[in-house]
Amino acid sequence: MSDANVVKLLQPGSFADPLTEVLRNGARALLAQAVEAEVGEFLAKHIDLKTASGLGRVVRHGHLPERAVMTGIGPVGVRQPRVRDRGVAAENAERIRFTPAILPPYARRSRSLEVLIPILYLKGISTGDFEGALAALLGKDAPGLSASTIARLKEVWLDEHEYWRKRDLSAKRYVYVWADGIYLQARLEDVKQCILVIIGATPEGKKELLGFTDGARESAQDWRELLLDLKNRGLVIAPELAVADGALGFWKALGELWPTTREQRCWVHKTANVLNKLPKSQQPKAKRSLQEIWMAETSKDAEAAFDAFIAAYELKYDKAAECLAKDRQVLLAFYDFPAEHWKHLRTSNPIESTFATVRHRTSDRRAASQIRRRSPWCSSSSMRRRKSWRRLDGHNQLPKLIQGVRFTDGIEVAAKSASSQSQTAAA
């Protein structure tokens, strides 16, 4: 297909899809049935309520004007039933209102479309191209998706980002945190921009975007400013464990502001660093040997595998062995935490996967010299993606960590009582 045909195809109204029209009509009928079923259930719930004259208090009252809701298959028209409370004026009671759960008030776009728009922007679709691109996806009758609409949405993202950046954290606590620096570079820029990101795990096992800022590099000062901002907004309780790569700036700042937080190095980054110091012929075997360390069932087995790797490579490939050996303790810290959490704690991948789409956007030449201005879009996309984040496996173990319960090789250790400890000391 030629470029001219592609451009013509993307023009609004340039094609019709009978299958999509059938699906859209079916969706309209199903949506109407679902809303009717919901209002019927609502009326049945209040059927016993009567007015002073003995009439039913909550009754149907026609329909609201039809409105089109944009969905993944284009606009779907729906008329919402109207419900009237006839007893509120006479009895001076609180009005009973009907709001369908499937159709929120004033909703003009489905949630999937709300997520699609920022993702398309981060993928490289410019403001002026949105109307044509979305018309090709949703149909020629897709309303409310002009360049001015997208510009207004970007203003909303700015407001969301500003509110999120200044939110109060005094009621928050995070058991684990993952930290990483995401490097972005537009085509017309010589210097990469570094965005510092921290994701935290709540006591309920939910992941949240905790901190987010841009900087020139991953220096201790950059990380210190980010951590200080979190503390100044109320996050005073230090996490139990922090997971990050070997960037010294983060660990230095962490030691200054959260000295009680344990350190866990990312095994994905460490594996890549070690393999880079070996010839390609040695890398497959070395990778399997490294995997035997962090996949070991117990810390004792991991220590043995660790020693075996050092012994096998230190004579001929001393730099690779040294790269691994210098972080021995912090690479194996996860063994002191619940086994269900190990797969979450051995890597900082939650950040890498979340910000993968951001890198695509920054490769667009039209985005040059705007990296700082893109921060709100990056955080907006990330905060929308958090809805799809899975809870940590074994999240029921997190309150135990807060209570001070200790774990060895991933298994809970029964803590001795204070009295038994004193008896042992006296003996």
Side-chain angles (χ1 to χ4, degrees):
M1 183 179 292
S2 66
D3 292 343
N5 289 333
V6 172
V7 172
K8 183 179 179 180
L9 180 64
L10 290 177
Q11 292 177 350
S14 59
F15 70 99
D17 183 1
L19 177 59
T20 301
E21 289 300 324
V22 171
L23 292 174
R24 192 177 299 147
N25 291 333
R28 183 182 295 108
L30 288 174
L31 181 58
Q33 292 174 13
V35 175
E36 288 292 337
E38 194 170 353
V39 73
E41 182 179 348
F42 180 84
L43 293 172
K45 180 181 177 181
H46 298 89
I47 194 171
D48 294 332
L49 295 179
K50 304 294 182 181
T51 63
S53 59
L55 298 176
R57 175 176 167 179
V58 181
V59 295
R60 295 185 63 113
H61 190 59
H63 290 80
L64 294 173
E66 181 175 302
R67 56 173 160 147
V69 179
M70 288 302 306
T71 69
I73 57 174
V76 175
V78 61
R79 294 187 69 196
Q80 177 180 326
R82 180 182 292 168
V83 171
R84 178 185 175 191
D85 182 359
R86 299 193 294 189
V88 64
E91 301 175 14
N92 196 24
E94 183 178 354
R95 181 181 298 276
I96 298 175
R97 301 179 184 275
F98 169 68
T99 302
I102 197 173
L103 193 64
Y106 311 109
R108 294 296 181 182
R109 288 179 291 271
S110 66
R111 293 182 180 178
S112 60
L113 193 59
E114 291 285 356
V115 174
L116 174 64
I117 291 175
I119 288 178
L120 287 178
Y121 181 80
L122 291 171
K123 284 288 188 180
I125 302 297
S126 67
T127 302
D129 294 336
F130 260 95
E131 188 171 6
L134 289 176
L137 290 172
L138 308 177
K140 60 184 178 60
D141 297 324
L145 296 173
S146 62
S148 60
T149 300
I150 303 303
R152 286 195 298 270
L153 283 175
K154 292 199 295 184
E155 292 299 324
V156 171
W157 298 343
L158 271 173
D159 294 339
E160 287 180 352
H161 174 73
E162 190 64 17
Y163 173 79
W164 173 84
R165 192 177 64 84
K166 296 181 179 179
R167 73 198 186 285
D168 181 29
L169 298 174
S170 58
K172 288 287 189 177
R173 178 166 186 174
Y174 297 91
V175 184
Y176 301 133
V177 294
W178 294 263
D180 202 358
I182 305 298
Y183 286 89
L184 311 174
Q185 184 173 12
R187 292 179 182 176
L188 300 184
E189 293 185 345
D190 296 328
V191 180
K192 289 184 178 181
Q193 182 84 4
C194 180
I195 293 182
L196 309 182
V197 184
I198 298 180
I199 290 177
T202 68
E204 297 77 28
K206 297 180 179 179
K207 295 176 185 176
E208 295 181 356
L209 183 61
L210 175 56
F212 180 96
T213 188
D214 57 337
R217 61 194 187 282
E218 288 188 80
S219 67
Q221 180 61 28
D222 291 333
W223 282 112
R224 187 181 298 110
E225 291 177 2
L226 178 55
L227 295 179
L228 272 175
D229 178 62
L230 299 179
K231 292 190 71 173
N232 291 338
R233 288 190 281 120
L235 190 62
V236 296
I237 302 178
E240 299 295 324
L241 183 74
V243 184
D245 61 14
L248 298 179
F250 172 74
W251 298 116
K252 182 178 180 181
L254 182 76
E256 295 172 356
L257 299 175
W258 286 336
T260 61
T261 300
R262 296 279 303 276
E263 300 179 11
Q264 170 63 50
R265 292 294 192 275
C266 172
W267 269 101
V268 173
H269 285 87
K270 177 56 69 175
T271 298
N273 292 338
V274 172
L275 295 182
N276 284 339
K277 301 181 185 305
L278 294 170
K280 289 187 176 181
S281 60
Q282 295 291 326
Q283 290 181 6
K285 182 180 178 181
K287 186 175 182 179
R288 291 192 297 270
S289 298
L290 290 171
Q291 187 176 18
E292 291 178 1
I293 302 175
W294 55 265
M295 287 294 289
E297 291 291 329
T298 66
S299 58
K300 182 179 180 180
D301 294 337
E303 293 279 4
F306 209 107
D307 292 335
F309 185 95
I310 300 299
Y313 291 95
E314 65 179 345
L315 293 180
K316 192 171 182 180
Y317 306 106
D318 57 315
K319 291 184 178 179
E322 181 183 354
C323 178
L324 180 67
K326 68 185 180 68
D327 291 326
R328 184 186 192 112
Q329 182 178 357
V330 293
L331 281 168
L332 303 179
F334 66 90
Y335 282 103
D336 294 333
F337 294 85
E340 298 94 328
H341 301 168
W342 288 359
K343 70 177 184 179
H344 304 291
L345 302 181
R346 289 184 292 222
T347 175
S348 58
N349 185 61
I351 295 176
E352 289 285 344
S353 59
T354 299
F355 282 80
T357 57
V358 177
R359 290 195 174 96
H360 292 282
R361 177 61 184 168
T362 58
S363 65
D364 183 9
R365 69 177 184 273
R366 289 170 295 186
S369 303
Q370 296 181 10
I371 291 181
R372 183 177 298 274
R373 293 175 56 190
R374 281 195 299 274
S375 294
W377 329 139
C378 298
S379 61
S380 176
S381 176
S382 303
M383 286 187 283
R384 283 171 169 80
R385 289 195 62 186
R386 76 183 187 275
K387 298 177 182 178
S388 63
W389 288 346
R390 292 177 56 250
R391 282 210 298 182
L392 267 63
D393 293 346
H395 53 83
N396 59 311
Q397 302 281 21
L398 292 169
K400 296 180 181 179
L401 292 171
I402 295 175
Q403 295 167 7
V405 176
R406 299 186 62 182
F407 289 79
T408 299
D409 293 331
I411 301 174
E412 180 181 344
V413 177
K416 295 182 179 180
S417 65
S419 59
S420 63
Q421 289 180 357
S422 61
Q423 291 175 2
T424 303

